[in-house]
Amino acid sequence: MMRLRLSVRATNAPALAAMTCAMRCLFPVLGVVWRETVQSVCRMCQEGLRPRLRRGRGDSAIGAVLRRVNVLTACNIMVTTVVAAVVCSLGPISGARAETVPTPSDAMEAYRTVRAWVDAGGIDGMVDDVGPVSDTEGLRAACVTMRLDGRVIGRGLSWAGDGRDLLVSAQRAWQRGVESVGAVIGERAAAIALDIELGGEFVPLVGETELDFLSQINPGIDGIAVRAGERIGVTFPGQMLASGWSAQQALMHAIAPLELPQVDFGTLRNRYGLVVYRFETEHLAQPESGAEPVFLHRCGRRVSMGEVSGARILGAAGEAALFLERLAWPGPEPHGIRGDYDPIADSYAPAIAPPASQAIAAWALSVYAQTPGVDAAGSARALRSARETLSEFTLATEFEDDPGLDPGALALWLVAMEESGGAGVYGEGEAAERIEKFAEDARAGLLGLADDAERFDAQPGVIRAMVALSLSYGGDEDSVGKAKEIARWLYVETAPGDLVALMPWLGLASKRLAAEGKIGAEGALREMRSVIERFTIHGEEADAGTDDLVGGVVFTRGRTPLPSWQSLRPVSFLAAMIGDDRLTGAHERGASWLSLVESLRFAMQLQVDETAGHMFVRPEAARGGVRLALWDQRCSVNATALALVSWCEALQSAERVAKAAE
């Protein structure tokens, strides 16, 4: 059996498929030249028209132009779809955006076959008669990875296309396992966890530069294959994610076995005839030894919109809080918390989190402790962890960065201190006096910095926004007055579309400074929300290969608009906006909730759960952490903290709206 998987990533996929098919089926010599020409035009359309259509949505000033473009586009799609249907009737499409991929049932059968080989100790690199060796239809390449105690002991790849790729890849993985752990592998065969990727058709890519090719790769979904003459090199998408490679690194890894000269990419293309392909896979793996395999999408699972309920959001917040708590320095030294965790390497980088990350983690835990629905034990544990981190922040050692040199870190420390109950919660004694003195000096230092116009204006806008938020907690007229002045100037000098870079700090400062009164920057904040929603990937804009990106905010206008943890910066404030009647009226709350739920879903997609554990040395250490991106497995302190605040603010907003409706 085989399955036809369709992708709509090309702007004019029907035209591209039809023309490619026609030229490759009827005129093989001219096929590549024609495809390059057509795809170049389609790419220009994708880069030129589509971003304008998205950015122009809701903009009446260019409505007439968009309607004309939409009419022309609709006619073009209708005509080219007819052409595609006619041409496709001549034979199978080759090189288009439709490729054959092994079915899930075929993938499960392949897993059962390899599992039986492993359990029987029957895979020997020199023996071919270990069972059925005929590959399923549609299989173009196979990758088998074997893990023992969370670590990769062997990985085998094969792309001969001779019906034996599954067997050969399993044999190679077993051989490397023997080399890694020795003869004991046979005794521990049942403890080996399997990870299997079955690759489909190789689809040739067209472009001029290396960036042209890389921009057509969907990280974690697409594998990369290269050919020079009769030699082929392959990198699988799961291999890319498990190794922490970028698309460029994956391309270089695929090229390496071809033994080409160390020259630039253009020379490889023009002089040595390098051809680049992409391919999709069916991927399944055992999350841990002895577990049943699960089907994976970008090495994890898709989080559906239906899962974004109050209970699930609270559960995700609890897991994130536990992750931050587990970052506590394991020794007696007052180092606070460790840095970002890399679950593949089982390491922390840096070993000690920078001052700003320490403060933002403590702030997030303090917000979590006040969130409705959090049980008393969880709240007490989060507050205890936050206060310990804040206390040790004042005891920076020679191995840490000096927090006094980072005004942003000092500002966030003051905010976290206030949210955790203030310096008074430390009681009396040397520690309480030290913390109280540190808070006074930090507030005075930030106020002095803000009074020095030349020095303060030289600070990045986000630092000034943090200072404004910290001074808003001051309580005295000087601090509050200075916070209002800073916030006012930030709104004056920053376009609404650029305010996202100052979130959530400037937005939270505006809410605090307004108290129960009117928010002066209401208009700018509303416009910022509109811009964010326009640049958010919505469900109707995604296909089967990108639906896990729904809710992410795309900040770049480049050719590879892939959202990352940076989406959480504005979302953490949008979640607070929706529960404030001054910023979200009852008539607009429904639409705002729909968009926010998508973004909360994306935050949950970034969070590590049990299905991603098959790649990690210690899955339990990564659980609950929020990754930098779906293709970057590093669990970031800042990303986890902002996701936690986003979920907590959403729950608090829901509580406020519910009470107001009673």
Side-chain angles (χ1 to χ4, degrees):
M1 296 177 63
M2 69 178 179
R3 175 180 46 174
L4 191 64
R5 178 175 292 177
L6 299 177
S7 174
V8 297
R9 281 177 291 170
T11 302
N12 202 350
L16 181 59
M19 296 309 177
T20 298
C21 179
M23 301 312 295
R24 292 180 68 85
C25 292
L26 304 179
F27 307 99
V29 175
L30 300 178
V32 174
V33 176
W34 178 262
R35 189 176 193 280
E36 182 167 323
T37 302
V38 173
Q39 185 158 325
S40 297
V41 173
C42 291
R43 189 167 57 250
M44 285 190 291
C45 291
Q46 183 180 24
E47 295 169 0
L49 292 179
R50 193 173 183 183
R52 287 178 173 80
L53 287 171
R54 285 193 60 191
R55 289 198 293 274
R57 184 170 56 198
D59 189 344
S60 59
I62 60 172
V65 176
L66 292 182
R67 282 193 293 274
R68 293 185 63 189
V69 170
N70 287 337
V71 170
L72 291 174
T73 301
C75 292
N76 184 37
I77 291 175
M78 180 175 64
V79 172
T80 53
T81 301
V82 173
V83 174
V86 173
V87 176
C88 287
S89 67
L90 300 176
I93 293 177
S94 175
R97 286 294 189 179
E99 59 254 31
T100 55
V101 180
T103 65
S105 60
D106 288 335
M108 182 60 74
E109 182 61 29
Y111 164 79
R112 301 294 184 202
T113 299
V114 177
R115 182 76 262 174
W117 290 343
V118 171
D119 290 344
I123 304 181
D124 186 284
M126 303 303 294
V127 177
D128 292 338
D129 55 347
V130 294
V133 296
S134 179
D135 290 335
T136 181
E137 186 176 359
L139 178 64
R140 181 63 181 81
C143 176
V144 175
T145 302
M146 298 181 182
R147 292 181 171 87
L148 190 61
D149 300 329
R151 297 184 182 276
V152 174
I153 61 170
R155 176 178 285 123
L157 286 75
S158 180
W159 52 85
D162 59 358
R164 296 164 50 82
D165 286 320
L166 181 64
L167 170 63
V168 172
S169 58
Q171 287 176 333
R172 289 172 176 171
W174 182 268
Q175 280 183 302
R176 287 171 174 78
V178 172
E179 295 168 2
S180 176
V181 301
V184 71
I185 188 174
E187 302 172 8
R188 302 201 61 195
I192 293 175
L194 292 178
D195 179 332
I196 297 176
E197 283 187 278
L198 304 181
E201 176 190 1
F202 288 1
V203 181
L205 303 179
V206 177
E208 295 296 329
T209 67
E210 183 179 22
L211 182 59
D212 289 338
F213 291 94
L214 295 178
S215 66
Q216 299 174 65
I217 299 299
N218 188 351
I221 298 295
D222 292 338
I224 300 176
V226 293
R227 178 195 291 273
E230 296 302 314
R231 292 168 295 175
I232 298 176
V234 172
T235 303
F236 278 76
Q239 187 182 5
M240 295 163 59
L241 294 187
S243 302
W245 293 336
S246 65
Q248 183 180 38
Q249 290 172 314
L251 176 61
M252 294 300 102
H253 177 267
I255 293 174
L258 305 186
E259 300 180 348
L260 297 174
Q262 298 293 318
V263 294
D264 63 89
F265 185 79
T267 303
L268 291 177
R269 288 270 298 152
N270 299 325
R271 182 179 302 174
Y272 297 96
L274 183 73
V275 181
V276 182
Y277 305 82
R278 56 170 286 277
F279 63 94
E280 295 187 15
T281 66
E282 194 63 66
H283 188 188
L284 75 168
Q286 293 176 275
E288 59 185 10
S289 174
E292 281 297 303
V294 295
F295 286 94
L296 302 174
H297 179 83
R298 227 186 289 268
C299 283
R301 71 176 186 90
R302 293 181 178 94
V303 176
S304 70
M305 288 293 294
E307 296 180 59
V308 189
S309 63
R312 290 299 301 271
I313 291 174
L314 187 61
E319 291 288 353
L322 288 172
F323 173 80
L324 292 175
E325 292 163 17
R326 288 196 300 271
L327 292 177
W329 186 257
E333 301 85 0
H335 290 330
I337 63 174
R338 291 168 285 185
D340 295 352
Y341 178 59
D342 183 345
I344 294 174
D346 190 23
S347 63
Y348 298 86
I352 304 171
S357 295
Q358 302 250 3
I360 196 173
W363 168 63
L365 287 171
S366 300
V367 172
Y368 172 73
Q370 304 170 50
T371 299
V374 177
D375 61 79
S379 176
R381 187 175 58 249
L383 271 180
R384 182 169 59 253
S385 179
R387 289 168 180 169
E388 288 176 358
T389 300
L390 293 170
S391 175
E392 294 182 356
F393 186 98
T394 67
L395 296 170
T397 67
E398 59 182 316
F399 304 104
E400 302 175 60
D401 296 334
D402 184 356
L405 301 178
D406 185 346
L410 289 178
L412 291 179
W413 183 87
L414 286 170
V415 172
M417 179 59 67
E418 293 298 328
E419 290 293 338
S420 68
V425 301
Y426 292 90
E428 300 179 354
E430 184 273 332
E433 292 178 3
R434 182 189 72 248
I435 293 169
E436 183 68 37
K437 179 68 165 55
F438 189 92
E440 292 175 359
D441 291 345
R443 189 170 289 109
L446 292 177
L447 194 56
L449 174 64
D451 285 333
D452 188 334
E454 184 176 354
R455 287 176 57 216
F456 193 61
D457 290 345
Q459 298 292 327
V462 67
I463 298 297
R464 286 181 281 157
M466 292 174 180
V467 172
L469 177 59
S470 68
L471 294 179
S472 71
Y473 285 88
D476 59 280
E477 292 185 5
D478 289 344
S479 297
V480 174
K482 181 57 67 175
K484 290 181 177 179
E485 179 185 338
I486 296 169
R488 183 169 58 252
W489 276 109
L490 284 172
Y491 282 113
V492 167
E493 67 184 40
T494 309
D498 296 328
L499 285 176
V500 293
L502 308 183
M503 295 295 128
W505 323 115
L506 182 59
L508 295 175
S510 299
K511 280 173 56 70
R512 281 195 57 82
L513 292 169
E516 298 301 320
K518 179 179 175 58
I519 297 176
E522 172 191 343
L525 291 173
R526 285 175 175 272
E527 187 172 350
M528 178 199 69
R529 177 169 59 195
S530 297
V531 171
I532 293 171
E533 290 178 352
R534 195 180 310 153
F535 280 84
T536 298
I537 300 175
H538 299 289
E540 66 272 15
E541 299 169 337
D543 61 21
T546 59
D547 56 355
D548 57 342
L549 304 178
V550 168
V553 183
V554 179
F555 295 105
T556 176
R557 292 179 173 85
R559 62 177 76 188
T560 52
L562 297 172
S564 68
W565 78 277
Q566 298 286 356
S567 301
L568 302 174
R569 294 182 181 274
V571 169
S572 56
F573 181 65
L574 295 186
M577 283 183 70
I578 205 167
D580 193 321
D581 290 335
R582 297 167 298 180
L583 298 173
T584 308
H587 65 285
E588 56 189 342
R589 190 162 281 134
S592 295
W593 267 121
L594 288 175
S595 182
L596 178 63
V597 166
E598 287 183 322
S599 293
L600 297 177
R601 187 219 69 83
F602 181 67
M604 295 169 70
Q605 188 75 63
L606 288 173
Q607 189 175 43
V608 173
D609 64 10
E610 66 280 357
T611 58
H614 70 282
M615 294 186 289
F616 305 152
V617 177
R618 291 190 299 131
E620 70 282 358
R623 188 180 177 99
V626 174
R627 296 169 289 176
L628 293 172
L630 295 180
W631 46 90
D632 189 336
Q633 305 306 309
R634 290 173 294 172
C635 298
S636 161
V637 176
N638 292 356
T640 305
L642 286 174
L644 176 55
V645 170
S646 299
W647 292 321
C648 292
E649 289 286 2
L651 292 170
Q652 292 176 12
S653 288
E655 181 85 356
R656 286 193 291 269
V657 171
K659 286 183 177 179
E662 292 176 356

